[in-house]
Amino acid sequence: MSLIEIILISAGLAMDAFGVSIGKGLTMPVGENGRKVTLAFLFGLFQFLMPLIGWLIGLQFIDVIADWDHWIIFGLLGYLGIAMIREGLSDDDEDDDKTFLGVWEMMMLSVATSLDAMAVGLTFAFLPINVWEASATIGVITFGISLVGIYLGKFMGRFVGKYADILGGGVLILIGTKILLQHLGIIG
């Protein structure tokens, strides 16, 4: 997997955190810089840790499913992509964006927005990839994108988060499709 693909996956995975960051940025008072940076840091930290957890789980099954791992990668990335697109197209506004409660809420949001990163980490077990570099890239990019989302939240409005989910979902579907086509020998 190339560095560009890892960066695209990282940006795609960061879109959930970006959407939540925008929502939180809308509600956070000016001058809450410590909390803003903490939230972005936690998003990045959990996006770093979850692929490693998924990778460790995937290593347990690599011998059992090595012959059809590309279908699993395609299925997982496709499912996550479709779920993100559906979330972006949904008219439901989440109530948790209306208030900012503190560290406990930040932790819960960080876990919730990084679960898809664990599924992507599962696919890393079946790919020739340095999981530490990929996970670090995912974490750093998520931190940066989340921080931008928090600070621009007041200016960007709530609708941007939905478009971010749609874009991120599309990227995950395209990368899953590319991996499938490569493993089937359709593209080089």
Side-chain angles (χ1 to χ4, degrees):
M1 183 173 281
S2 72
L3 178 60
I4 291 173
E5 289 172 321
I6 293 170
I7 290 171
L8 287 173
I9 286 175
S10 301
L13 290 173
M15 291 300 112
D16 277 346
F18 181 65
V20 172
S21 297
I22 290 170
K24 291 300 172 189
L26 284 167
T27 62
M28 293 176 79
V30 175
E32 292 269 338
N33 291 329
R35 285 184 185 233
K36 291 175 182 175
V37 172
T38 300
L39 180 60
F41 173 77
L42 287 172
F43 281 160
L45 177 65
F46 278 85
Q47 290 279 26
F48 164 73
L49 293 174
M50 291 299 200
L52 294 173
I53 293 168
W55 173 71
L56 288 171
I57 293 169
L59 287 179
Q60 305 305 311
F61 301 104
I62 196 162
D63 292 334
V64 177
I65 55 178
D67 290 338
W68 36 279
D69 60 352
H70 49 281
W71 288 103
I72 294 172
I73 295 167
F74 174 72
L76 284 172
L77 291 180
Y79 174 78
L80 293 171
I82 290 169
M84 288 177 71
I85 291 170
R86 290 175 102 183
E87 186 177 321
L89 294 174
S90 170
D91 289 335
D92 295 337
D93 286 332
E94 294 182 19
D95 292 335
D96 64 353
D97 284 344
K98 293 189 170 109
T99 60
F100 192 83
L101 300 175
V103 175
W104 181 249
E105 182 188 12
M106 287 191 265
M107 295 289 285
M108 293 296 100
L109 289 171
S110 297
V111 169
T113 59
S114 63
L115 290 175
D116 52 354
M118 186 167 63
V120 168
L122 180 70
T123 69
F124 287 168
F126 308 109
L127 297 171
I129 189 171
N130 181 327
V131 70
W132 294 98
E133 288 176 7
S135 295
T137 302
I138 291 168
V140 169
I141 288 176
T142 299
F143 169 75
I145 287 175
S146 297
L147 195 59
V148 168
I150 291 168
Y151 278 101
L152 294 179
K154 293 275 186 208
F155 307 107
M156 297 177 78
R158 295 182 71 85
F159 70 95
V160 175
K162 292 187 176 286
Y163 292 115
D165 283 339
I166 294 168
L167 178 64
V171 167
L172 292 181
I173 291 169
L174 289 173
I175 290 174
T177 302
K178 178 187 175 286
I179 290 170
L180 176 66
L181 295 175
Q182 283 178 324
H183 283 245
L184 293 176
I186 296 171
I187 61 173

